[in-house]
Amino acid sequence: MSVARAQARINVAAIERNCSRLCKELHGGAALCAVVKADGYGHGAVQSAMAALAGGATSLAVASAEEVRELRQGGIRVPVLVMGALSPSELAQALDADAEVVVWREQYLKEVAAAGGGRVHVKFDSGMGRLGTRDHAEASRVVQEARRIPALQLVGVMTHFATADDLKDDGFFMRQLATFANWARAMKAEQPDLVVHAANSAATLRDREAQFDMVRCGIAVYGMDPFGRDPGGRGLEPAMELSSYVAEVKLCPAGESTGYGRRFTAEQDTYLGVLPIGYGDGWRRGLSNNADVLVGGRRYPLVGTVSMDNITVDLGGDPSATKLRGDRAILIGFQGTERITAEEVARRLDTINYEVTCAITPRVPRDYHRDGRPLEEGAPQGRAQALGTSR
Ligand SMILES: *Cc1c(COP(=O)(O)O)cnc(C)c1O
C-alpha cells in the first residue's frame, strides 16, 4: 500500500453494513434517514450518501443549503432534509435544490411560500432548546397553516433529543419523548401519512419507542458509537482510517528536546520518528504528549508539541527503530492486533468522536475503497468515485 503524508481511507462497505445494521434495529417499518452534514462527518458527503443509500437508507439530511447543492451536484436524487436554520438567500438555494426544510413559525411558512414553496417539516422543541417552538399551540397552528397554504406540502413533524447519548440521564430523555409523542400523535391522527421523526443514533439504539416513522442517524452510519464506547459493542464498524508515514527517524540524545516549546525532553537516548501530519490536517494540538500512533503493529507515544504539519513519536532506544523509516503510521484504525479508535482520540481531547473526524481538514485527501478493493467502475460507488475526484 502506498504511503502519503496524511491520508483518510474510507471503507464504503463499512458504511453500507452500518446502515444495514441500523435498519435491522428499526421496528414498525421505520425508515432510515442518513445524516451526511459536515461533509459526512468528515468522511465525504456524496460518497457517504451513496453508501448509506446502498445500505438501506431511503433519505438524507444535512444542515445547510450548500450541503444539499453538493449532494444534488453529485447526482443524488433522493429526498434531502435541511435541518438547520436558513437565511432568506439560503432558503431560496435549498428550495431550488428541491430540499425539504424545517419550519416552526407562521411567518416562516409565508417566507417559504413566497420563495416558491416546497415540502416542509414542522419542528416542535420538546426540550433541546434550540430550533423549533416550545409552544404546543403554536406548533399545532403552524401544522394547520402548512396544510392550508397551497404552495406548501406538509411532510413531517419532528423534534430532537438533548440527552439521548447519556445513559445515566435522569429521565429527561423519557420526558422529551413523552411530550413529543403526545403532540405528534394528535398531528398524525389528522394526517396519517405524516412522517413523525425524532431519533438520532443514540435514541435509535436505546429506545424503540423513539423511532416513530423515521430515524435520523449520523454518527452510527460512520461506525462510531454515539455513547462514546467501543463501536464494536453495538456491531458498528468504523469506516475511516487516518494514516501518515514515518518520514524520518533520528536519534534524540538524552537531554535534547523536540518541537515547539520543548515540551518533550529525552531522559535517555531515544529514536524519534517524524510524521508529516499536524493540526493543519486536523490532528489537534491538544494531542501534544497525549496520543499514541501505530507503526509496525506497535503503539508508540506521540511526544512533544503537535505542529501544523508534523508530529514526533518516541520509537525507543533500540537502533532497529531506524528500519521503520518509510513505514505507514496509523493514527486512527487497525494495525496488526492494535487499534486506535476515534473514541480513544476523543477521550484524550476531552471531546466526542464526532469532533475528531469532523476536524480532519480538506488538506487530507479522502480515498475510497470497498473492503480493501478499489471501487468498481459502473457500479453506483464507481460512479461516485468518478465524481469524488473533483473534490
Ligand atoms: C446531527 C443531527 C442528527 C444526527 O445525530 P447523530 O447523533 O449523529 O446520529 C439528527 N438530528 C438532528 C436535528 C441533527 O442535527
Side-chain angles (χ1 to χ4, degrees):
M1 189 178 297
S2 67
V3 297
R5 62 170 299 277
Q7 186 180 30
R9 298 183 77 238
I10 318 293
N11 186 359
V12 296
I15 294 178
E16 280 181 36
R17 285 191 291 266
N18 291 329
C19 288
S20 317
R21 158 88 189 79
L22 287 166
C23 287
K24 284 201 199 80
E25 201 71 27
L26 303 179
H27 84 302
L32 173 63
C33 168
V35 180
V36 297
K37 61 192 179 188
D39 200 27
Y41 293 42
H43 294 64
V46 172
Q47 292 281 11
S48 298
M50 294 215 183
L53 294 168
T58 50
S59 67
L60 303 167
V62 294
S64 75
E66 177 56 29
E67 289 173 334
V68 194
R69 199 194 54 75
E70 189 191 343
L71 292 175
R72 295 299 187 220
Q73 201 169 317
I76 289 171
R77 297 277 159 261
V78 301
V80 180
L81 170 65
V82 184
M83 302 182 294
L86 294 163
S87 73
S89 66
E90 289 162 351
L91 174 63
Q93 189 190 9
L95 295 174
D96 204 46
D98 198 27
E100 298 176 3
V101 299
V102 179
V103 295
W104 58 89
R105 288 155 66 90
E106 286 162 274
Q107 178 55 34
Y108 193 59
L109 286 177
K110 297 198 183 86
E111 288 167 28
V112 177
R119 294 186 303 280
V120 300
H121 295 242
V122 174
K123 186 158 193 178
F124 177 63
D125 177 8
S126 58
M128 180 62 155
R130 299 188 316 197
L131 304 180
T133 173
R134 277 184 188 272
D135 179 348
H136 283 83
E138 182 175 37
S140 303
R141 272 199 315 276
V142 174
V143 163
Q144 307 310 335
E145 273 298 288
R147 283 210 197 99
R148 200 188 56 76
I149 300 175
L152 304 181
Q153 192 189 333
L154 177 66
V155 178
V157 293
M158 65 187 287
T159 195
H160 192 41
F161 295 111
T163 58
D165 58 332
D166 181 2
L167 295 171
K168 301 189 301 292
D169 163 52
D170 58 0
F172 192 77
F173 171 77
M174 295 307 289
R175 288 204 293 283
Q176 264 199 280
L177 179 55
T179 306
F180 175 67
N182 272 332
W183 175 75
R185 202 175 297 121
M187 297 304 113
K188 180 109 176 163
E190 293 167 25
Q191 183 182 334
D193 70 350
L194 202 59
V195 180
V196 176
H197 53 109
N200 55 5
S201 300
T204 300
L205 293 170
R206 85 182 258 181
D207 194 338
R208 308 175 125 216
E209 296 302 316
Q211 294 175 354
F212 297 101
D213 301 315
M214 183 176 90
V215 298
R216 307 183 305 264
C217 293
I219 197 78
V221 163
Y222 307 98
M224 291 183 281
D225 185 70
F227 308 102
R229 299 176 175 175
D230 182 343
R234 299 257 175 195
L236 299 170
E237 211 183 316
M240 182 191 287
E241 175 202 76
L242 179 67
S243 65
S244 178
Y245 80 108
V246 182
E248 182 59 286
V249 178
K250 64 211 289 190
L251 183 67
C252 182
E256 295 289 318
S257 64
T258 179
Y260 289 114
R262 307 192 64 205
R263 288 171 66 185
F264 171 80
T265 304
E267 281 173 15
Q268 56 223 2
D269 289 4
T270 194
Y271 288 90
L272 294 186
V274 184
L275 280 47
I277 185 169
Y279 65 77
D281 304 291
W283 192 250
R284 305 241 321 261
R285 198 166 175 278
L287 296 165
S288 300
N289 280 321
N290 186 28
D292 286 339
V293 170
L294 308 180
V295 185
R298 282 187 50 191
R299 260 177 194 265
Y300 295 100
L302 187 164
V303 293
T305 304
V306 172
S307 1
M308 192 184 291
D309 315 310
N310 293 286
I311 57 174
T312 43
V313 297
D314 185 353
L315 299 173
D318 189 328
S320 68
T322 55
K323 294 204 188 77
L324 295 171
R325 193 180 284 124
D327 273 21
R328 257 166 72 78
I330 302 295
L331 292 90
I332 296 173
F334 286 92
Q335 203 177 51
T337 58
E338 282 288 352
R339 182 178 69 142
I340 294 173
T341 58
E343 287 76 13
E344 173 184 333
V345 179
R347 244 180 337 268
R348 303 247 195 190
L349 287 166
D350 197 19
T351 182
I352 51 176
N353 42 12
Y354 298 68
E355 203 185 19
V356 173
T357 59
C358 278
I360 297 169
T361 63
R363 184 163 82 174
V364 180
R366 271 66 168 172
D367 296 318
Y368 296 92
H369 65 96
R370 172 184 296 281
D371 288 334
R373 295 188 307 279
L375 304 189
E376 318 87 42
E377 281 301 320
Q381 290 297 341
R383 192 163 65 87
Q385 185 186 36
L387 293 160
T389 54
S390 62
R391 59 171 287 120

